[in-house]
Amino acid sequence: MKKILATAISSALFLTACSEPENIKSTPAAEQVTTAENANPLMEQSPLQYDAPDFSVIKDEHFSPAFSQGMSQQIAEVTRIIDDTTPTNFNNTIVALEKSGQLLGRVSSIFFNLSGTDSNPARRALQQELAPKLAAHRDDIFLNKALFAKVETLHQQSANLDLTAEQARLLDVYYKRFIRAGAKLDEQQQQKIRDINSALSSLTTQFGQNLLALSKSNVVIVDSKSDLAGLTENQIQQYANAATEAGHKGKYLIKITNTTRQPILASLENRPLREKIWRASSKRALSGEHNNSEIVPKLAKLRAQKAALLGYNSYAEYGLDAQMAKQPSAVFDMFATMVPQLLQNVHAEASAIEEQIKASENDFTLQPWDWFYYAEQVRKEKYNLDESVVKEYFEFNRVLEDGVFYTMNRFYGVTFKPRTDLPVYHPDVKTYELFDHDGKSLAIFYADYFAREGKRGGAWMSSFVKQSGLLEQKPVVVNVMNIQKAAEGEPTLISYDEATTIFHELGHGLHGMLSNVTYPSLSGTSVSRDFVEFPSTFEEDWAMHPEVIANYAKHYKTGEPIPANLLKNVIQSRSCNQGFDTLEYVAAALLDMQWHSLPADAPLQDVVDFEQDALTKHNVNVPYVPPRYKSAYFSHSMGGGYSAGYYAYMWSEILAADAYAFVQDEGGLKREIGDKYRKEILEVGNSRDLMESYKAFRGQEPNTSALLKRRGLTTVVN
């Protein structure tokens, strides 16, 4: 692993404001803005601080004309770069590209953030319409031979251009982006690339919209309260409220969360109902109106065909060439070394669960819908833990303010102050301004943590505005989760895992908000996929730091700190079920890699058969430990973004665990080490080689020992 990590290079990136048009043509009509468009708030920078979106005036009908105008404007800007007859230089080409497309960037960031957090039929229809247009727009820029000739000339002369390190990095990023887009292909090959990109954009959009539709329709309705034995009264009331809102008054509605596992299964006593919920989860999107079973094989084949046109044997080879891992073999080798010990852990956990089943005077074969219920019984017995009691010490607001915000203040010197004057896109969204230790304003932060209809599953960070010294932009960032909000008037109590996820996502948030680079293409989280999860995972373990947890883990009624024995058991219990947790992740990561290792001439695959064969091939086909995601709802892999890249969470965790252990050795929650981490990791974004950034902070490359300790897998072969 150490040798592999030493080969790290950054990924090639998109244009900063390019969300994606054809042979570039100057369009005079595009320069004209009608009176109606002048009334469109998206056409101009927001009057709010840091260009934060003014959601009080933005309407759905504003998006389509703003997208059209934004694409036209960027085409005109890029055309001027091409037509410039003065000698090609860094400023009139690369800097000009960085400055292009600001309108398109603005409307794209707002629209696609809303499409993920507050979708509606109009936005979904526009997203489908836009997908091929934006793909064509991007191709028109990156496949333009005249534009590429200018970039290539600069790249060839880079050693003699007297560039700063950041400028040299930006030039290299642009050059690789053009190459990876197909700029060196002939016209016939480029047309094939265009066709593939158009098809991919439409299919990935449909894939995501199918899942969004299923988040509403794929639910389990329960008729009787007695069937919900094992749940708290608060949980039952939440399900009753959800049923009433959906038109099923007097019943109980259970929504399916985004992963294969469903949290409710840890508490629910009713075994047939557990099976019904699990099957609703694991079989979703395989049939019916919102079926992804035919989309997935088409996506895999199209990506393989694109990779072949660009000279790669598979999409996995193409994807990893721009990552720290570099080669698919590095990923397969990493997981292969882990699987034998993981299986030992899983089988030991399964044996304990089977004993618990027998002790409960039941006689059935362990199934995936049984695992969490009986694993929770084992955990309760071993650590004397009751999850409902534990949650009483993790009230949402206290976790956020006295836990996460407190930690960021102690470690980085930053402070979050509420901004109730800024308009939001949903009443549940809260807004904050981030201030540095010296009182300097740094960023605007949107906190969108509660589940609702129209929001896609999972948790993520995104930006409305990216940091840029060139454009004099300060960041406007959003964190999104899907925590089940308590009934009106009741406190929202969360699990320890949900608490760590809040820390995780704000790790991404700070990566964006503390960025301090010149060029937006290099700012914040614009790093390779197998590095981007490092700063977020690094923040997770602060949730259990003694000083931090003492500050926020307090009973929601009495304010009493979590008892020492209970806290000790909560922390120690994290090693419980780690075999399952790790194997379900590894299985999903291998499934992602296997789909994207298919050659271009492979036939279309049957989704279910392919999954079974892939898992069996890598010795992870354990019936009661299904992959964290199956193909039909694997948004990371099939929806884009983490295609051939889901392994990145484990890769990044190696960096995060090593860095966190180092910080503890250096004194823990101290500003001195926090400032160094901020300077060498968070502020620099992708402005230099990523391993060099890590070594500048850590003093050496990482190794896996801290990861194994973090996961309680101390005997894994390295």
Side-chain angles (χ1 to χ4, degrees):
M1 175 59 67
K2 185 174 179 181
K3 183 178 179 181
I4 294 168
L5 286 172
T7 65
I9 72 166
S10 70
S11 68
L13 305 171
F14 292 92
L15 279 170
T16 177
C18 175
S19 298
E20 296 98 346
E22 250 277 66
N23 292 332
I24 296 179
K25 302 184 179 98
S26 180
T27 312
E31 303 285 351
Q32 300 173 4
V33 183
T34 66
T35 302
E37 287 170 338
N38 276 327
N40 187 331
L42 296 173
M43 296 294 188
E44 302 292 339
Q45 283 190 290
S46 168
L48 301 180
Q49 185 177 347
Y50 303 155
D51 202 22
D54 188 352
F55 294 110
S56 67
V57 296
I58 295 172
K59 297 182 170 137
D60 285 346
E61 56 264 33
H62 294 143
F63 286 113
S64 184
F67 268 110
S68 295
Q69 186 67 20
M71 285 187 281
S72 295
Q73 280 188 8
Q74 189 170 30
I75 289 300
E77 291 160 349
V78 172
T79 299
R80 284 194 288 271
I81 297 171
I82 295 168
D83 292 344
D84 189 342
T85 58
T86 61
T88 299
N89 59 51
F90 184 81
N91 285 327
N92 68 18
T93 303
I94 303 302
V95 173
L97 282 171
E98 281 289 272
K99 291 181 175 179
S100 73
Q102 292 182 48
L103 169 57
L104 182 57
R106 179 166 62 250
V107 64
S108 295
S109 68
I110 297 171
F111 177 76
F112 287 108
N113 273 306
L114 291 181
S115 294
T117 59
D118 198 30
S119 183
N120 60 36
R123 291 171 187 168
R124 290 193 289 273
L126 180 56
Q127 193 174 2
Q128 282 279 21
E129 177 189 334
L130 284 170
K133 293 180 180 179
L134 292 172
H137 178 70
R138 174 182 169 277
D139 286 341
D140 282 344
I141 294 170
F142 285 106
L143 296 181
N144 184 275
K145 292 190 177 297
L147 180 60
F148 174 63
K150 287 177 173 271
V151 175
E152 186 174 37
T153 296
L154 290 172
H155 191 261
Q156 291 170 346
Q157 300 172 352
S158 58
N160 302 315
L161 295 179
D162 194 28
L163 302 176
T164 66
E166 186 178 346
Q167 288 171 335
R169 179 74 165 179
L170 182 66
L171 175 56
D172 191 56
V173 162
Y174 266 108
Y175 177 73
K176 289 176 179 175
R177 186 64 226 168
F178 274 90
I179 295 295
R180 288 173 58 77
K184 284 195 170 184
L185 300 180
D186 62 34
E187 288 188 13
Q188 184 177 10
Q189 291 170 321
Q190 286 192 353
Q191 185 57 52
K192 289 180 180 179
I193 289 284
R194 288 178 180 276
D195 293 341
I196 289 172
N197 287 343
S198 178
L200 283 171
S201 66
S202 296
L203 286 172
T204 54
T205 299
Q206 186 60 55
F207 180 94
Q209 292 194 352
N210 282 343
L211 296 185
L212 186 61
L214 284 170
S215 69
K216 180 180 180 180
S217 63
N218 185 34
V219 298
V220 174
I221 304 295
V222 179
D223 293 327
S224 173
K225 181 179 179 180
S226 63
D227 288 336
L228 300 176
L231 306 185
T232 65
E233 285 299 319
N234 188 36
Q235 286 176 303
I236 292 172
Q237 186 60 51
Q238 289 176 16
Y239 296 134
N241 292 344
T244 299
E245 290 173 7
H248 302 283
K249 190 173 182 180
K251 299 185 179 183
Y252 306 86
L253 185 149
I254 299 169
K255 295 181 179 180
I256 301 301
T257 60
N258 64 320
T259 61
T260 302
R261 68 160 74 183
Q262 299 297 308
I264 192 177
L265 299 185
S267 307
L268 196 60
E269 296 176 8
N270 186 320
R271 188 171 189 247
L273 182 55
R274 290 202 307 267
E275 179 180 358
K276 185 176 182 180
I277 293 168
W278 186 85
R279 291 191 181 281
S281 173
S282 67
K283 304 295 183 183
R284 81 187 95 159
L286 284 177
S287 60
E289 181 183 358
H290 306 295
N291 183 356
N292 280 336
S293 64
E294 293 183 1
I295 293 177
V296 168
K298 291 177 182 176
L299 285 170
K301 189 170 185 65
L302 285 168
R303 288 172 182 157
Q305 290 173 340
K306 177 176 179 176
L309 283 167
L310 294 168
Y312 295 89
N313 293 317
S314 67
Y315 190 83
E317 278 193 12
Y318 167 76
L320 269 69
D321 187 44
Q323 307 297 318
M324 296 182 80
K326 298 301 293 176
Q327 293 288 339
S329 59
V331 175
F332 285 125
D333 288 347
M334 176 180 72
F335 289 131
T337 61
M338 299 179 69
V339 167
Q341 181 61 38
L342 280 178
L343 291 176
Q344 289 184 38
N345 283 50
V346 167
H347 294 325
E349 291 168 3
S351 294
I353 288 171
E354 288 168 342
E355 287 300 315
Q356 187 67 38
I357 292 172
K358 290 179 182 177
S360 303
E361 299 182 353
N362 286 303
D363 184 20
F364 51 75
T365 301
L366 174 62
Q367 298 292 344
W369 50 87
D370 299 316
W371 186 285
F372 286 104
Y373 181 77
Y374 288 98
E376 182 63 16
Q377 306 308 308
V378 171
R379 191 171 75 103
K380 282 182 181 178
E381 186 174 293
K382 185 173 182 179
Y383 298 104
N384 191 29
L385 279 181
D386 183 334
E387 185 62 28
S388 63
V389 173
V390 172
K391 283 185 174 183
E392 293 179 353
Y393 293 90
F394 292 91
E395 190 272 324
F396 167 76
N397 288 308
R398 186 165 270 156
V399 170
L400 179 64
E401 295 171 9
D402 297 343
V404 186
F405 290 173
Y406 171 83
T407 304
M408 304 315 164
N409 176 260
R410 293 280 287 111
F411 199 55
Y412 304 114
V414 298
T415 303
F416 291 81
K417 295 185 178 180
R419 286 290 303 272
T420 56
D421 58 310
L422 292 174
V424 293
Y425 54 88
H426 189 277
D428 283 344
V429 179
K430 306 300 180 188
T431 313
Y432 300 83
E433 186 172 356
L434 184 68
F435 291 90
D436 210 343
H437 62 90
D438 59 1
K440 179 183 178 182
S441 177
L442 295 171
I444 298 294
F445 174 67
Y446 291 82
D448 183 359
Y449 288 113
F450 299 118
R452 61 175 173 270
E453 185 179 332
K455 180 190 282 191
R456 65 180 173 88
W460 66 93
M461 165 267 185
S462 188
S463 297
F464 287 108
V465 181
K466 293 184 67 174
Q467 182 272 327
S468 168
L470 177 70
L471 303 177
E472 298 183 341
Q473 291 178 171
K474 290 196 175 183
V476 179
V477 164
V478 59
N479 272 179
V480 185
M481 285 181 62
N482 275 276
I483 295 170
Q484 190 64 47
K485 190 177 182 181
E488 187 69 29
E490 295 293 324
T492 297
L493 306 179
I494 64 177
S495 67
Y496 178 74
D497 285 344
E498 287 173 321
T500 62
T501 302
I502 300 175
F503 276 84
H504 177 103
E505 294 306 330
L506 198 56
H508 284 307
L510 286 180
H511 200 181
M513 289 188 285
L514 296 182
S515 176
N516 186 24
V517 303
T518 302
Y519 303 105
S521 284
L522 304 178
S523 74
T525 57
S526 299
V527 296
S528 67
R529 287 297 185 192
D530 49 11
F531 189 89
V532 75
E533 295 297 336
F534 155 41
S536 53
T537 306
F538 170 79
E539 300 295 348
E540 288 182 21
D541 288 349
W542 290 115
M544 71 163 69
H545 187 276
E547 178 185 337
V548 174
I549 204 163
N551 200 61
Y552 78 89
K554 299 178 181 179
H555 197 276
Y556 77 101
K557 285 184 178 178
T558 67
E560 291 295 313
I562 188 170
N565 266 351
L566 180 58
L567 175 58
K568 179 182 176 182
N569 288 338
V570 168
I571 292 173
Q572 289 183 343
S573 71
R574 291 194 76 213
S575 63
C576 190
N577 218 42
Q578 274 299 304
F580 182 103
D581 288 351
T582 307
L583 187 59
E584 70 156 4
Y585 162 77
V586 169
L590 286 167
L591 186 59
D592 167 49
M593 287 298 296
Q594 204 60 45
W595 272 115
H596 293 104
S597 293
L598 287 169
D601 59 357
L604 292 174
Q605 305 291 311
D606 176 84
V607 168
V608 176
D609 290 345
F610 183 87
E611 286 179 347
Q612 292 300 305
D613 291 345
L615 298 175
T616 299
K617 176 180 179 179
H618 295 285
N619 299 312
V620 293
N621 193 7
V622 180
Y624 41 69
V625 188
R628 184 171 297 175
Y629 298 94
K630 293 190 177 183
S631 305
Y633 52 93
F634 200 169
S635 292
H636 291 78
S637 175
M638 294 302 160
Y642 281 79
S643 305
Y646 193 62
Y647 78 92
Y649 287 92
M650 182 68 75
W651 196 282
S652 294
E653 190 179 351
I654 293 170
L655 301 172
D658 186 71
Y660 186 81
F662 171 70
V663 167
Q664 303 318 303
D665 290 342
E666 294 294 305
L669 195 62
K670 291 186 175 180
R671 273 285 306 282
E672 297 92 322
I673 189 67
D675 285 347
K676 183 179 181 182
Y677 179 85
R678 174 176 170 176
K679 176 185 175 183
E680 304 295 354
I681 302 295
L682 300 181
E683 290 185 355
V684 298
N686 192 35
S687 64
R688 67 182 176 195
D689 178 87
L690 298 174
M691 184 54 73
E692 292 307 310
S693 290
Y694 187 83
K695 290 193 294 184
F697 166 69
R698 176 68 172 87
Q700 64 184 50
E701 295 180 9
N703 61 60
T704 61
S705 58
L707 170 70
L708 305 182
K709 181 179 179 181
R710 185 179 194 266
R711 285 189 169 255
L713 304 171
T714 56
T715 58
V716 175
V717 178
N718 184 19

